[in-house]
């Protein structure tokens, strides 16, 4: 098993000690999503200040891949501007954990890896459309999210 | 055939897929039998034979091929009836599977017989297919859906059934003969006799029981009985709904179309006789014919031998798994009260991760909620791992599973 390209030290470590794990009360954005295949759930909380992600946390039950990807995602986008977050691509996230190969090798597990990114994109879309009444800024983030995997 | 391990080992040669290597050239250890079983050559060949030699639609034309296919198709009905000890094979209705069978009852029987305020009783360990159709029906009719809860052993708390029945409002009690997650075998006789005393109809989801033990439907005395062929060596897309003739005759049809009619006029139609009234459209002819071979195969081994073989495997697996520190086993600890299904969790490792890691060793189990989220909620977990056995599995394969689980412990530094 030592050569296993999925369960690296880093992934195991993140799954044991996820970063930015928890809730934010009255967050500007709260997005809930689930993976119907395995029943994993995730709640993503974000606060926005000056068009930047000022705070981000996630909460939920998931496998090691889901936990590690959610942790890294929150680390990577904290402090970023909404414009940058809108452009944030799945490859950036996957390569950070050496999981790019999942796109090809595991159509099932890729869903675990990208669940939080999907929630992020949907969450920001709803924030613009529902809260800011600014569908122009929301762009087609919803479609992007729906087509992630 | 003797019920020795050797005899069971010997039948592996009938299953081509068991020779397969997976991942890094690992021998396949197939422990996902509760989801679907593998198919023997006898079944595969019967399907090819149909397509190669007598493919034709049934019940209509008078040519030679149509007569042959109709006969093979109808012959399966008789084989199913005999297998379950049902006297009248016209009570056997072919459907796509358990899911369709339950939906048929919920739609065709439920809509005529359930009204506002009535109660449908199900259980906490049902598959989604024995929950969602009843949610749809009770919501439409403003009726109520109630659950028999399970206790810490994963067994049904039958006192609750008494309470529900005493309201006089229960129209149907519907439950699985064997839980697809915990393996618990339901106390069928007790439930049916309580319901009969109260004049309440009973549906049994036998998807996990008929493949693994001798079942005598006539003796059970339920009203509806449903199962899937693909979980018992048969092809996908074939299932059986059995119900008593008096009930089927009074029931409205489910799907309308060809074959289910007697006469069609511009604005009205009269229904065909049983079972055709409930078999609209061209059925899954090839797979129904293949299904007959699956039943013959099982009967040749003997259902009691199969049950004993699985009981041996289950006992062995439970013993070995108990030795692994940090492994949580769900369901009753008494092997006799359960089928060959073992759900477990391994420390805090998510079942998906367990599944992926042991898959590298060729071991196929199921990780997830097993279409039983109500039960997952009760167990307070998002998912479990599930190993489920069948006739071709061996103790050596269980050893491979145990070794693979030890790998999981290594990777996660447990
Ligand atoms: C207890 C039980 N009921 C119903 C079903 C659904 O069967 P099918 O998917 O063949 O309709 C299953 C299969 O997973 C099951 O295990």
């Amino acid at each position: 098993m030592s050569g296993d390209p999925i369960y690296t030290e880093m992934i195991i470590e993140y799954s044991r000690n996820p970063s930015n794990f928890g809730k934010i009360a009255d967050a500007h954005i709260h997005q809930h999503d689930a993976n119907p295949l395995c029943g994993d759930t995730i709640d993503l909380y974000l606060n926005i200040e000056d068009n930047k992600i000022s705070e981000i946390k996630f909460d939920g039950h998931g496998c090691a891949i889901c936990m590690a990807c959610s942790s890294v995602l929150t680390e990577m986008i904290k402090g970023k501007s909404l414009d940058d977050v809108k452009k944030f691509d799945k490859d950036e996230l996957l390569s950070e954990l050496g999981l790019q190969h999942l796109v090809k090798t595991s159509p099932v597990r890729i869903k675990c890896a990208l669940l939080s990114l999907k929630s992020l994109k949907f969450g920001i879309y709803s924030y613009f459309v529902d809260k800011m009444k600014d569908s122009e800024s929301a762009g087609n983030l919803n479609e992007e999210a729906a087509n992630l995997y | 055939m003797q019920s020795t391990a050797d005899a069971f080992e010997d039948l592996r040669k009938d299953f081509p897929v068991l020779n397969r290597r997976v991942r890094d050239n690992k021998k396949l250890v197939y422990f996902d039998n509760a989801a679907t079983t593998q198919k023997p050559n006898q079944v595969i060949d019967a399907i090819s034979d149909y397509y190669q030699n007598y493919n034709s639609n049934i019940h209509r034309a008078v040519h030679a091929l149509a007569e042959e296919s109709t006969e093979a198709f109808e012959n399966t009905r008789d084989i199913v009836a005999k297998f379950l000890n049902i006297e009248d094979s016209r009570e056997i209705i072919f459907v796509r599977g358990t899911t369709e069978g339950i939906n048929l009852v919920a739609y065709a029987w439920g809509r005529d017989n359930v009204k506002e305020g009535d109660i449908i009783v199900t259980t906490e360990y049902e598959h989604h297919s024995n929950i969602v159709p009843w949610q749809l029906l009770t919501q439409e009719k403003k009726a109520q859906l109630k659950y028999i809860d399970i206790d810490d052993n994963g067994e049904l708390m039958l006192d609750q059934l008494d309470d529900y029945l005493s309201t006089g409002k229960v129209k149907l009690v519907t439950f699985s003969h064997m839980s697809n997650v915990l393996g618990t075998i339901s106390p069928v006789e007790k439930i049916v006799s309580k319901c009969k005393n109260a004049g309440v109809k009973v549906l049994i989801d036998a998807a996990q029981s008929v493949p693994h033990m001798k079942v005598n439907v006539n003796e059970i005395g339920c009203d509806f009985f449903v199962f899937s062929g693909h979980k018992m060596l048969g092809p996908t897309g074939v299932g059986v709904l059995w119900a008593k003739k008096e009930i089927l005759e009074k029931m409205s049809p489910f799907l309308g179309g060809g074959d289910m009619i007697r006469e069609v006029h511009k604005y009205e139609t009269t229904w065909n006789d049983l079972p055709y009234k409930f078999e609209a459209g061209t059925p899954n002819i090839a797979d129904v014919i293949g299904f007959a071979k699956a039943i013959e195969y099982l009967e040749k081994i003997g259902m009691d031998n199969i049950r004993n073989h699985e009981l041996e495997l289950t006992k062995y697996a439970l013993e070995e798994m108990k030795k692994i520190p940090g492994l949580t086993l769900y369901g009753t600890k008494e092997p006799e009260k359960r089928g060959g299904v073992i759900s477990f969790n391994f420390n805090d490792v998510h079942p998906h991760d367990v599944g992926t890691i042991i898959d590298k060793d060729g071991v196929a189990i199921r990780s997830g909620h097993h279409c039983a989220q109500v039960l997952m909620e009760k167990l307070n977990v998002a998912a479990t791992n599930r190993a489920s056995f069948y006739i071709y599995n061996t103790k050596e394969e269980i050893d491979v599973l145990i070794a693979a689980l030890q790998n999981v412990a290594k990777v996660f530094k447990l």
Side-chain angles (χ1 to χ4, degrees), chain B residues 31 316-330 333 342-349 354 358 363 365 385 387 397-410 412-414:
Chain B
F31 282 161
Y316 181 68
L318 286 172
E319 282 306 312
E320 293 303 307
M321 291 170 90
K322 268 185 216 152
K323 293 181 197 157
I324 301 179
L327 197 132
T328 309
L329 291 162
Y330 299 101
K333 302 288 176 288
I342 300 180
S343 275
F344 62 96
N345 263 310
F346 197 9
N347 251 300
D348 60 345
V349 182
V354 175
I358 72 173
V363 183
I365 60 164
N385 305 283
E397 288 182 309
I398 291 170
D399 294 336
V400 177
L401 167 68
I402 301 294
L405 287 173
Q406 275 146 5
N407 264 339
V408 175
K410 248 184 254 158
F412 275 84
K413 304 191 170 64
L414 299 176

Side-chain angles (χ1 to χ4, degrees), chain B residues 218-290:
Chain B
N218 198 19
E219 230 164 58
I220 290 176
C222 58
D223 300 281
F224 304 99
F225 188 87
V226 195
F227 61 100
S228 301
H230 69 94
K231 293 179 195 284
M232 49 190 290
L233 309 182
T236 50
V238 181
V240 169
L241 162 66
W242 169 86
K244 286 187 184 143
K245 197 164 59 206
E246 304 80 65
I247 299 176
L248 290 172
E249 275 167 352
K250 280 198 216 124
M251 253 162 77
S252 302
F254 179 39
L255 303 174
D259 248 18
M260 51 82 70
I261 51 92
R262 180 179 304 284
E263 283 178 63
V264 178
H265 304 287
K266 236 176 183 172
Y267 300 108
E268 72 214 36
T269 292
T270 50
W271 314 132
N272 199 343
D273 293 332
L274 295 175
Y276 312 112
K277 175 179 160 189
F278 293 101
E279 291 181 356
T282 300
N284 189 351
I285 304 165
D287 294 317
V288 165
I289 291 171

Side-chain angles (χ1 to χ4, degrees), chain B residues 353-372:
Chain B
D353 298 319
V354 175
T356 296
I357 294 171
I358 72 173
D359 170 60
K360 295 269 175 210
D361 289 328
V363 183
I365 60 164
R366 177 74 184 273
S367 2
H369 54 56
H370 319 291
C371 296

Side-chain angles (χ1 to χ4, degrees), chain B residues 120-133:
Chain B
I120 304 273
V121 177
T122 185
T123 87
E124 275 187 326
Y125 61 46
E126 297 310 306
H127 188 278
H128 293 162
S129 62
N130 203 15
I131 293 179
V132 183

